[in-house]
Amino acid sequence: MKIAVKDIKGTQVGTLDVSDYLFEAPMNVPVVHQAMVRQLANLRQGTSAAKTRAQVSGGGAKPRPQKGTGRARQGTIRAPHFAGGGVVFGPTDRRFRQDMPKKMRRLAIRCLLSDKVQTSKLTLINSMDFGSPKTKEMNNALEALGIGPSTLIVTGERDNNVVLSARNLKKIKTLPASNINVLDLLNHESLLMTVEAIHKVEEMWAGGVTSTEVKKESTSKARQPARTRVRKGADTREGTSGQGAKSLGNTGSTTQSKAKSKSKNVDKGKQ
């Protein structure tokens, strides 16, 4: 399929052929949901913990005799009902990490990239060259491209000028192409990618680059081939020669009929 390519001023400069395998995949909601839950679970540290009565220091000696005091029997001052004692059923260290097959992870990314294309939320730009970090220039570029306030900017490699220019803009995030993930694609409404990023993504997930050149749109009409002209001329010549042959045949037949009529007249005179 073809995607329009724009410059930083918002003018279309051509089209780029991209992989149908990567940008025309049907949406698979269960796989995308599972990939999102997996990524959110893997972000959890799972380090919150509380000490039980066995883990709290102290409380090794019996606080008072078992009998004779008139008070309740106690074995340790680190029991849960004592101040400074252990916690009952408190949080412990646990592992929240989830695994997912590689094919399913890649399918989720292809589904989201295809959805961005189908909903016209993907904008392709030839390059993002900023001489220095300027938030104003980044804001002007996004306005010229007609991109919404929630945008994910993907470049081929990490570009510090692009990162610093977009750092102070709300709901704008920059990523290198190798770090595209399901959560960022879901959290941002629009997707802005450079041509270099498209090539990088195709190399990683589509088996190779589809097209390396941006095709410029040509408005001039193509001329008719010379072979057609010659054939038309030959046809006209053949037509004229055929007409000439027919006319010659007609004149021959008229002369023969005239000769026959003369011979009949001569025979009648002899009689």
Side-chain angles (χ1 to χ4, degrees):
M1 65 178 302
K2 294 183 179 181
I3 299 179
V5 180
K6 298 181 180 180
D7 58 9
I8 201 168
K9 296 181 180 179
T11 306
Q12 183 173 343
V13 296
T15 58
L16 180 68
D17 291 329
V18 296
S19 173
D20 295 340
Y21 174 76
L22 192 60
F23 291 97
E24 284 190 352
M27 176 56 71
N28 193 325
V29 177
V31 173
V32 174
H33 178 264
Q34 184 178 347
M36 180 197 68
V37 173
R38 167 188 170 271
Q39 189 171 349
L40 289 174
N42 292 345
L43 291 175
R44 300 183 66 177
Q45 293 181 349
T47 55
S48 60
K51 292 182 178 181
T52 64
R53 59 183 294 170
Q55 295 170 336
V56 178
S57 62
K62 190 175 177 65
R64 52 181 174 267
Q66 183 78 1
K67 293 180 178 292
T69 60
R71 301 178 66 184
R73 53 194 176 187
Q74 302 293 335
T76 175
I77 61 172
R78 295 302 182 233
H81 59 279
F82 277 102
V87 179
V88 182
F89 305 125
T92 57
D93 294 340
R94 57 174 296 188
R95 179 176 176 270
F96 293 97
R97 188 168 186 82
Q98 297 182 10
D99 294 330
M100 190 174 181
K102 183 189 294 184
K103 289 184 178 180
M104 294 180 67
R105 298 198 305 266
R106 294 187 174 185
L107 175 60
I109 292 178
R110 288 193 285 113
C111 289
L112 292 176
L113 290 176
S114 302
D115 182 68
K116 295 293 184 185
V117 174
Q118 293 170 6
T119 57
S120 301
K121 297 297 182 182
L122 173 62
T123 304
L124 193 58
I125 190 172
N126 53 4
S127 63
M128 296 191 72
D129 297 329
F130 293 103
S132 60
K134 292 290 184 181
T135 304
K136 186 176 182 180
E137 292 183 3
M138 176 62 74
N139 195 19
N140 293 336
L142 294 178
E143 289 181 356
L145 293 169
I147 298 176
S150 176
T151 304
L152 178 64
I153 302 174
V154 182
T155 55
E157 301 292 340
R158 177 181 170 85
D159 190 343
N160 289 328
N161 290 336
V162 175
V163 173
L164 296 176
S165 299
R167 184 172 59 178
N168 289 336
L169 297 175
K170 291 183 179 181
K171 298 182 180 180
I172 303 294
K173 185 174 182 180
T174 58
L175 280 178
S178 57
N179 291 349
I180 288 183
N181 56 85
V182 172
L183 202 57
D184 285 327
L185 289 174
L186 287 173
N187 287 337
H188 295 85
E189 182 181 358
S190 302
L191 178 62
L192 175 62
M193 298 183 70
T194 62
V195 175
E196 183 183 0
I198 290 285
H199 294 162
K200 190 79 173 179
V201 168
E202 287 182 336
E203 288 178 358
M204 291 188 297
W205 296 317
V209 179
T210 303
S211 177
T212 58
E213 297 181 357
V214 177
K215 296 181 180 179
K216 296 182 180 180
E217 296 181 352
S218 58
T219 57
S220 60
K221 296 182 179 179
R223 295 182 178 179
Q224 294 182 352
R227 190 177 296 176
T228 307
R229 293 179 181 176
V230 173
R231 190 172 294 174
K232 285 183 179 180
D235 293 341
T236 54
R237 285 196 297 271
E238 289 176 0
T240 53
S241 60
Q243 292 177 358
K246 289 180 180 179
S247 61
L248 289 174
N250 293 332
T251 54
S253 61
T254 52
T255 52
Q256 289 178 1
S257 60
K258 289 180 179 179
K260 287 181 181 181
S261 60
K262 287 181 180 180
S263 61
K264 288 180 179 179
N265 295 330
V266 171
D267 294 338
K268 287 179 180 180
K270 289 180 179 179
Q271 290 175 359

